[in-house]
Amino acid sequence: MKKYMLLTVVAIACGLLAAAGGCKTKLPAGDVDINRHFAVEIATLKDPNLSTSSLEKYNAACIIAENVDFSYLRDIPSMEAIFGEKDAVSGSFEGKDYVLYTYKFMNKSIQFRFSIEGVTIINASVKKTE
């Protein structure tokens, strides 16, 4: 009986480990692996010949948003390593500077908003509308 109980406990532990291993975690922005894992998407976002309202840029932005955690992003060079300079819209609202990257396709959009202070990113948010 103890043998079956031990086997059951081991099977449950293995099942929990497999389930936890299947959970998808986001890479922190600024991680060196982002350039390797998402090279195609980053190249698409940086392509100056594509419009921000193209399906290609919208899909690339969605993949980046689903897989990258921007709460870890702290500097502008790391932000510029992912997004194209042509797509950036910067401004100031209530005394705070920001940079926006908005990608649209038909009635869908995804927006990356970075609040900045000097060369430091103090807040990042991603907003997706369907």
Side-chain angles (χ1 to χ4, degrees):
M1 186 68 155
K2 287 184 180 181
K3 184 178 181 181
Y4 292 113
M5 197 162 180
L6 180 61
L7 185 61
T8 303
V9 170
V10 170
I12 290 172
C14 289
L16 289 173
L17 286 174
C23 294
K24 188 174 182 181
T25 59
K26 292 184 174 186
L27 285 174
D31 191 319
V32 294
D33 288 337
I34 290 174
N35 293 331
R36 184 170 43 97
H37 288 298
F38 305 108
V40 173
E41 290 80 10
I42 290 171
T44 301
L45 292 177
K46 289 184 157 197
D47 189 343
N49 298 319
L50 291 174
S51 167
T52 57
S53 59
S54 69
L55 177 61
E56 294 86 358
K57 279 203 177 186
Y58 176 78
N59 286 339
C62 287
I63 291 170
I64 293 292
E66 291 170 7
N67 294 290
V68 177
D69 184 355
F70 288 99
S71 65
Y72 292 96
L73 194 61
R74 295 291 172 246
D75 57 44
I76 292 176
S78 295
M79 176 186 69
E80 291 173 343
I82 297 172
F83 300 100
E85 291 179 35
K86 176 186 160 240
D87 300 341
V89 175
S90 59
S92 183
F93 181 72
E94 295 181 351
K96 303 220 181 220
D97 295 330
Y98 64 85
V99 177
L100 295 176
Y101 294 93
T102 305
Y103 302 98
K104 299 176 183 179
F105 183 72
M106 296 176 75
N107 61 343
K108 302 175 187 179
S109 70
I110 187 161
Q111 182 181 73
F112 300 85
R113 181 184 180 110
F114 302 99
S115 299
I116 58 173
E117 193 170 293
V119 294
T120 304
I121 296 173
I122 56 173
N123 187 25
S125 64
V126 179
K127 183 179 174 183
K128 187 174 181 181
T129 58
E130 300 272 341

